[in-house]
Amino acid sequence: MTQDNLDKDQIILGYWNIRGLVEPSRLTLQYTKTPYTDKMYQVGDAPEYNRDEWLGEKFKLGLDFPNLPYLIDGDIKLTQSKAILYYLGHQKNLMGNNPQEEAVVTMLCEQAHDLRLEFGKFCFGPNGDSESEKKKFLDTTVTEHIKQLNAYLGKNKSRFAVGDKPTVADFQLFEYVDCCCSIDGGSMLLEKYTNVKELLQEIRELPELKDYIARSHAQLPMHIKMAKFGGKVIEQK
């Protein structure tokens, strides 16, 4: 869909044609059945990795800080993935039921974001295509994050990460843990940390998300094409 054809009465979410840092916001919009335009920008093939589709629009959208992802909701124009997620969380009442819960939701989102940044640095780094280095990354960085999350969930003992209904923290955790566990051995790691596995399954089975995750979500790569891991769609095993 071109910019000229976008429905100006709908939220517009702009990003590369990948999951990346915007997928938690897509999950939020899907879960709340919010009509939106998913504006995906293409990246060309190697060796140029042409980004002209985005660069041609970057400074024409009225964004204060032009970047991807962006969200346009009427007069509201935002960039930065977490600002977008928190905006949607407040708008859709998915930030917890009180200030204390909101603080925990924010903490979990930030913790998940830290893991995703580590994953991204690894996948774009010099060893991103090394099987031995992927295993090392899974056994160290990913395991430590999942171990801590598993302990938190065991102590919390609610259906979702914060309470008995989903929040944006669940969507951020689901997406970023799922990405990291796409490394060979990730599913075995989750067998060890069952609280995390059960949370991911709860999100995957939500009626509002089940079809989206199985279809649209599964057809997007995690990263843009120049990544050494995750730049192509990974077949589910």
Side-chain angles (χ1 to χ4, degrees):
M1 180 178 291
T2 66
Q3 192 73 26
D4 291 340
N5 293 328
L6 297 180
D7 187 338
K8 293 179 174 55
D9 293 329
Q10 288 187 2
I11 287 175
I12 302 168
L13 193 61
Y15 197 52
W16 303 115
N17 60 330
I18 62 171
R19 287 159 59 179
L21 297 177
V22 86
E23 193 66 9
S25 290
R26 290 192 186 117
L27 292 169
T28 300
L29 290 166
Q30 291 288 333
Y31 173 73
T32 56
K33 299 181 180 179
T34 302
Y36 73 104
T37 298
D38 200 1
K39 173 68 174 174
M40 294 189 184
Y41 295 91
Q42 306 291 321
V43 175
D45 294 330
E48 293 86 1
Y49 298 114
N50 186 290
R51 296 180 297 152
D52 286 353
E53 187 175 352
W54 159 238
L55 295 176
E57 291 187 351
K58 182 175 181 179
F59 298 103
K60 300 177 181 178
L61 300 171
L63 302 169
D64 291 318
F65 304 97
N67 206 347
L68 293 176
Y70 66 76
L71 177 143
I72 299 174
D73 184 13
D75 293 333
I76 299 294
K77 297 184 178 184
L78 298 174
T79 50
Q80 297 294 338
S81 61
K82 289 182 290 181
I84 291 168
L85 184 65
Y86 297 152
Y87 170 78
L88 293 174
H90 284 291
Q91 188 183 64
K92 306 300 179 183
N93 194 29
L94 295 175
M95 292 293 292
N97 294 319
N98 52 57
Q100 292 79 11
E101 287 190 358
E102 180 175 341
V104 177
V105 168
T106 304
M107 176 183 70
L108 291 170
C109 286
E110 297 291 335
Q111 185 70 20
H113 189 76
D114 285 351
L115 174 60
R116 186 62 175 81
L117 291 183
E118 290 291 331
F119 181 63
K121 285 191 290 185
F122 174 77
C123 293
F124 283 91
N127 299 317
D129 55 355
S130 164
E131 293 303 321
S132 62
E133 290 298 317
K134 281 190 279 188
K135 183 179 186 304
K136 181 179 177 182
F137 179 77
L138 184 72
D139 290 346
T140 54
T141 302
V142 178
T143 296
E144 183 60 29
H145 276 266
I146 289 181
K147 180 180 178 181
Q148 292 176 357
L149 176 59
N150 195 73
Y152 163 81
L153 294 171
K155 180 176 69 173
N156 193 45
K157 296 187 183 302
S158 57
R159 182 182 175 192
F160 295 99
V162 184
D164 292 321
K165 70 174 187 176
T167 66
V168 294
D170 293 288
F171 304 138
Q172 185 104 316
L173 288 165
F174 170 81
E175 169 61 14
Y176 293 170
V177 172
D178 185 62
C179 282
C180 291
C181 289
S182 65
I183 296 173
D184 283 347
S187 58
M188 292 179 61
L189 178 64
L190 290 175
E191 291 297 331
K192 182 177 180 181
Y193 296 105
T194 55
N195 296 327
V196 178
K197 179 183 177 182
E198 289 170 5
L199 176 64
L200 267 58
Q201 193 61 29
E202 284 278 7
I203 302 302
R204 191 174 278 110
E205 294 296 325
L206 285 170
E208 299 89 345
L209 292 179
K210 188 173 183 179
D211 185 65
Y212 172 78
I213 290 172
R215 297 178 184 272
S216 301
H217 171 93
Q219 295 305 310
L220 291 174
M222 294 178 287
H223 295 124
I224 54 179
K225 295 176 182 178
M226 59 278 284
K228 293 193 174 182
F229 178 73
K232 297 179 180 179
V233 175
I234 298 174
E235 296 295 331
Q236 295 295 317
K237 296 181 180 179

